[in-house]
Amino acid sequence: MRPKITLKKIAKEFEVSISTVSKALKDSNEISKDLREKIQAFAKLYNYKPNSLAVRLQNQQTKVIGVVVPDIVHHFFSMVIRGIEEVTNKRGYNVMICLSNESFDKEVMNIDMFTNGSVDGLIASISKETQRKNDYSHFKNLLEDDFPLVMFDRINEDFNCDKVIIDDVSGAMNATSHLIETGCEKIALVTTPNEITVGALRKKGYVKALQSHGLEADTNLMVEVNEKQSIREQIEELFDRNVPDGIFAVNEVYAVTAMNVAREKGFKIPEDISVIGFTDGPISQLALPPLTTVVQHGFTMGKQAAELLLDRIESKEDIQPQKIVLSTNLKIRKSTKSV
Amino acid sequence: MRPKITLKKIAKEFEVSISTVSKALKDSNEISKDLREKIQAFAKLYNYKPNSLAVRLQNQQTKVIGVVVPDIVHHFFSMVIRGIEEVTNKRGYNVMICLSNESFDKEVMNIDMFTNGSVDGLIASISKETQRKNDYSHFKNLLEDDFPLVMFDRINEDFNCDKVIIDDVSGAMNATSHLIETGCEKIALVTTPNEITVGALRKKGYVKALQSHGLEADTNLMVEVNEKQSIREQIEELFDRNVPDGIFAVNEVYAVTAMNVAREKGFKIPEDISVIGFTDGPISQLALPPLTTVVQHGFTMGKQAAELLLDRIESKEDIQPQKIVLSTNLKIRKSTKSV
């Protein structure tokens, strides 16, 4: 991809602010006729790409919004999409979804495709590879272009855009505290590698809860699951090292796998070992015993992200970006003991 | 939506074949210059919509394919999409997904949006509401326009387009026969209402297997699940009527719910009751005991559908539509007895 001309680059060329360029391209009277014409000619010369701003300028709304997610096999992302659909359909928009499959290149390609004039705005959650590479230039270009963007769940804190996240730290704290308060003393953590921000935040909550109850965080009780290898075997290794009496897992697959490993080793759930997961999907609901879990409210998250995006698309004025932090709650089922 | 002008209607107007119209619009020398110009002028006058044909005429391939599926919460559809992605990415195409959410109106809207020039071809699986209404005019319009279309899983047999399905009847027969051959005599069926074609086909296989083993199909042992009500309660009612010693369920949620109901009523799996599901997703794999299941090969189905579509898009000639029927296989785990 050859470098795109952006509002920022035009602003630099003319030694004016981005907002002046934006106004000039919108043909606003606030900018002198001479400067307006020069900026417009320059943008045209360098083939300034029709983005939502240019599209809005020509009043050609597509009434479609784009969604870029890492994956749809996970229940959480499919619930977010349901929430997005709920709001967009009510407000007269359609939704197109592209998957990054956790790949940086695909994420870049998807965003490039969507912002070629096919959608009015974008809702995105960052791929694992992008988080590892720590390269966000494709998102930064959008923001420089004033392209309506809402990020959810896996976000970049530094971006000046609308964001919807859940309070991962508190969610994990509540789960771990519940295990402690129902009598667990050796609580294991089954999490992702640390570069996955949500995994890192949930680990933080787990450690905080232990410390606030005067317990030590023991790395021997922690598993950072490498998904290229067998999840089950990595959890079996935890049991070989150190048998826990409570397990907090950062998703439902890890949690139910841990529960199955424990039962096969002859432990009773929850009498011998209590288990709490994250995300309240069908795997948690259909487990036996049904899994106590941190409810992540994917549906609500999707609805909120869509409301923010459509408000931004439909607004005639500049709106300050918002960050919405949703609280989780603990759904207590039968994989944990009563207080 | 006002009626669209189609290749077929133009052909009728000029009393020529659809292929002649298609060639005339492609400006082929095979058609007389006079007729070509008349047809082109007519198409222009009636605002003949730029579809993939017109797009290809202008050599403006989008290198994007559209996918319309009822739902992504079900593991099966998300695996099909993974298969589609696998092939399209290798062959240099991107994928955009729209959900019908099982709604007829949304399906119509999605297809209209995609065929407005944003994609080169379409892969679709029909919504439940469309199947109930039995109204397929939106798909028929595409076919009349020669728009590249591949249908999978929930298809319409009458359409002259590429199709990829699994052999649902044989899959269900094998599952039911396996239950009979491992000693079950009172085999229940947990299925969808009959208007869902895959449910009807699987019921057919179940009945066929019973009959071929000299057993009667007993409606008292069949549940047609109404998803607007509690799945669990409908299965509990089955147990109140007539306790089975084997259960064949047409998806994994029904199967694991049935297994849980049975266990809560004190039955042992598989000693007292054997259970087989359909679709090999994480719910089946993480169940305890892990579920014996008919493997549906969603990933393969997606790959095949994508190959058919891209071959059609890239071909310069007319290709005869193909129907690919994938065989299922039975994955035997621990929810059924040994032979």
Side-chain angles (χ1 to χ4, degrees):
Chain A
M1 215 172 43
R2 72 188 170 82
K4 255 174 64 176
I5 187 87
T6 62
L7 286 184
K8 199 172 181 179
K9 286 172 192 158
I10 302 176
K12 205 171 167 194
E13 183 68 28
F14 286 89
E15 293 178 334
V16 297
S17 72
I18 291 177
S19 137
T20 298
V21 177
S22 167
K23 283 175 184 160
L25 290 174
K26 283 177 191 153
D27 214 29
S28 158
N29 288 327
E30 288 176 43
I31 312 300
S32 77
K33 191 157 178 289
D34 181 51
L35 185 58
R36 253 187 287 159
E37 286 178 355
K38 274 186 189 152
I39 288 176
Q40 287 170 8
F42 183 87
K44 201 174 169 189
L45 181 66
Y46 282 92
N47 196 19
Y48 178 68
K49 241 193 188 174
N51 57 25
S52 89
L53 198 142
V55 167
R56 276 188 282 171
L57 187 64
Q58 301 159 32
N59 237 346
Q60 288 183 329
Q61 274 204 298
T62 63
K63 287 282 180 183
V64 180
I65 70 154
V67 176
V68 180
V69 287
D71 196 353
I72 48 168
V73 172
H74 287 111
H75 184 74
F76 170 67
F77 286 119
S78 57
M79 287 312 291
V80 172
I81 289 170
R82 277 204 181 168
I84 292 171
E85 292 263 351
E86 170 98 357
V87 166
T88 48
N89 293 346
K90 265 190 202 138
R91 290 178 65 169
Y93 287 75
N94 215 333
V95 178
M96 283 191 188
I97 305 153
C98 280
L99 308 181
S100 67
N101 292 331
E102 304 287 9
S103 142
F104 173 81
D105 287 340
K106 262 214 93 186
E107 189 173 272
V108 171
M109 193 163 70
N110 288 336
I111 285 173
D112 202 44
M113 177 172 67
F114 272 144
T115 52
N116 244 320
S118 53
V119 300
D120 295 339
L122 210 58
I123 297 176
S125 193
I126 302 167
S127 80
K128 285 184 183 168
E129 198 186 0
T130 305
Q131 292 194 322
R132 275 193 294 268
K133 277 176 87 111
N134 200 18
D135 177 351
Y136 298 98
S137 44
H138 48 307
F139 287 111
K140 282 183 191 144
N141 283 340
L142 289 186
L143 293 174
E144 283 172 5
D145 277 0
D146 263 352
F147 191 90
L149 170 69
V150 178
M151 299 193 118
F152 74 92
D153 196 51
R154 300 200 206 146
I155 64 162
N156 183 318
E157 282 292 351
D158 300 338
F159 286 176
N160 188 30
C161 71
D162 292 312
K163 294 164 198 147
V164 188
I165 54 169
I166 58 157
D167 190 342
D168 283 289
V169 177
S170 293
M173 271 188 78
N174 292 341
T176 312
S177 297
H178 185 74
L179 289 170
I180 298 169
E181 285 153 17
T182 52
C184 300
E185 289 170 352
K186 278 173 66 182
I187 299 169
L189 172 72
V190 184
T191 185
T192 64
N194 232 16
E195 69 259 20
I196 309 306
T197 50
V198 297
L201 291 169
R202 290 170 199 173
K203 181 177 179 176
K204 197 170 159 187
Y206 158 84
V207 172
K208 262 180 125 170
L210 291 178
Q211 288 171 343
S212 77
H213 286 82
L215 296 170
E216 288 267 324
D218 177 357
T219 51
N220 246 326
L221 281 168
M222 299 181 201
V223 186
E224 287 189 5
V225 174
N226 174 351
E227 292 211 359
K228 284 181 186 143
Q229 291 160 27
S230 155
I231 300 171
R232 168 178 287 265
E233 280 171 19
Q234 292 170 79
I235 293 172
E236 283 169 348
E237 282 165 20
L238 162 74
F239 275 79
D240 294 343
R241 279 202 306 271
N242 207 341
V243 175
D245 60 8
I247 298 172
F248 168 56
V250 301
N251 64 44
E252 57 178 1
V253 171
Y254 296 177
V256 174
T257 305
M259 201 152 83
N260 290 350
V261 167
R263 287 171 60 149
E264 277 164 25
K265 288 186 180 287
F267 297 104
K268 283 194 179 133
I269 313 290
E271 292 81 356
D272 301 326
I273 303 176
S274 297
V275 182
I276 299 187
F278 219 102
T279 308
D280 184 26
I283 294 173
S284 305
Q285 289 153 24
L286 289 170
L288 210 67
L291 193 70
T292 296
T293 189
V294 180
V295 181
Q296 220 176 341
H297 304 298
F299 185 73
T300 307
M301 194 177 252
K303 288 210 298 188
Q304 299 265 18
E307 297 283 8
L308 285 176
L309 184 68
L310 300 190
D311 288 350
R312 179 165 298 278
I313 288 170
E314 291 173 357
S315 166
K316 304 248 180 289
E317 332 214 317
D318 276 352
I319 316 177
Q320 269 305 100
Q322 287 183 59
K323 179 175 167 185
I324 295 178
V325 181
L326 297 172
S327 302
T328 61
N329 61 286
L330 197 63
K331 188 157 217 161
I332 297 174
R333 294 208 185 90
K334 298 197 172 158
S335 65
T336 45
K337 284 175 281 205
S338 313
V339 185
Chain B
M1 214 172 46
R2 74 188 169 81
K4 258 174 63 176
I5 188 87
T6 63
L7 285 185
K8 199 171 180 180
K9 285 173 193 158
I10 302 177
K12 206 171 165 194
E13 182 70 25
F14 286 89
E15 294 180 332
V16 297
S17 72
I18 290 177
S19 137
T20 299
V21 177
S22 167
K23 283 175 184 160
L25 291 174
K26 282 177 193 154
D27 214 30
S28 158
N29 287 327
E30 289 176 44
I31 313 298
S32 75
K33 191 158 179 285
D34 180 51
L35 184 59
R36 254 186 287 157
E37 286 177 356
K38 275 186 187 151
I39 288 175
Q40 288 171 7
F42 182 88
K44 200 174 170 189
L45 181 67
Y46 282 93
N47 195 20
Y48 178 70
K49 242 193 187 174
N51 57 24
S52 89
L53 197 143
V55 166
R56 276 187 283 171
L57 186 65
Q58 300 158 34
N59 238 345
Q60 288 184 329
Q61 274 203 297
T62 63
K63 287 283 180 183
V64 181
I65 70 154
V67 176
V68 180
V69 286
D71 197 354
I72 47 169
V73 172
H74 287 111
H75 184 74
F76 170 67
F77 286 119
S78 57
M79 286 312 291
V80 172
I81 289 170
R82 278 202 180 170
I84 293 171
E85 293 263 350
E86 170 97 358
V87 167
T88 48
N89 294 346
K90 262 188 205 142
R91 290 178 64 168
Y93 287 75
N94 216 332
V95 178
M96 285 192 188
I97 304 153
C98 280
L99 308 181
S100 66
N101 292 331
E102 304 287 8
S103 142
F104 172 81
D105 286 342
K106 262 213 96 188
E107 190 174 88
V108 170
M109 193 163 71
N110 289 337
I111 286 174
D112 201 45
M113 177 171 68
F114 271 143
T115 52
N116 246 320
S118 53
V119 300
D120 295 340
L122 209 59
I123 297 177
S125 192
I126 303 169
S127 79
K128 285 185 185 169
E129 198 186 0
T130 305
Q131 292 195 320
R132 275 193 295 268
K133 278 175 86 110
N134 200 20
D135 177 351
Y136 297 98
S137 43
H138 48 308
F139 287 111
K140 283 183 192 144
N141 284 339
L142 289 186
L143 293 175
E144 284 172 6
D145 276 359
D146 264 352
F147 192 90
L149 170 69
V150 178
M151 298 194 116
F152 74 92
D153 195 52
R154 300 200 206 146
I155 64 162
N156 183 317
E157 283 291 351
D158 300 338
F159 286 176
N160 189 30
C161 71
D162 292 312
K163 294 163 198 149
V164 188
I165 54 169
I166 57 156
D167 190 342
D168 284 289
V169 176
S170 294
M173 269 188 79
N174 292 342
T176 311
S177 297
H178 186 74
L179 289 171
I180 298 170
E181 286 152 16
T182 53
C184 299
E185 290 171 351
K186 278 173 66 181
I187 299 169
L189 172 73
V190 184
T191 185
T192 63
N194 231 16
E195 69 260 21
I196 307 307
T197 50
V198 297
L201 291 170
R202 290 171 199 172
K203 182 178 179 176
K204 198 171 157 185
Y206 159 82
V207 171
K208 260 178 125 171
L210 291 179
Q211 287 172 344
S212 77
H213 286 81
L215 295 170
E216 289 266 325
D218 178 357
T219 51
N220 244 327
L221 281 167
M222 299 182 200
V223 186
E224 287 189 6
V225 174
N226 175 350
E227 291 210 0
K228 284 181 185 143
Q229 292 160 25
S230 156
I231 300 172
R232 167 178 287 265
E233 280 170 21
Q234 292 171 77
I235 293 172
E236 283 170 349
E237 281 163 22
L238 163 73
F239 275 79
D240 293 344
R241 279 203 306 272
N242 208 340
V243 176
D245 60 8
I247 298 174
F248 168 56
V250 301
N251 64 45
E252 60 178 357
V253 171
Y254 295 178
V256 175
T257 305
M259 202 152 83
N260 290 350
V261 167
R263 287 171 60 149
E264 277 165 25
K265 288 185 181 287
F267 297 104
K268 283 194 179 131
I269 313 289
E271 292 81 355
D272 301 324
I273 302 176
S274 297
V275 182
I276 299 186
F278 220 101
T279 310
D280 185 27
I283 293 172
S284 306
Q285 289 153 24
L286 290 169
L288 210 66
L291 193 69
T292 295
T293 189
V294 180
V295 181
Q296 220 176 342
H297 304 297
F299 185 72
T300 307
M301 194 178 253
K303 287 209 300 187
Q304 298 265 19
E307 296 284 9
L308 284 177
L309 185 69
L310 299 189
D311 288 349
R312 180 165 298 279
I313 289 169
E314 291 172 357
S315 166
K316 303 249 179 288
E317 331 212 318
D318 276 352
I319 317 177
Q320 269 305 99
Q322 287 183 59
K323 180 174 167 183
I324 295 178
V325 181
L326 298 172
S327 301
T328 61
N329 61 287
L330 196 62
K331 189 158 217 161
I332 296 174
R333 294 207 184 90
K334 298 196 172 158
S335 66
T336 44
K337 284 175 281 204
S338 312
V339 185

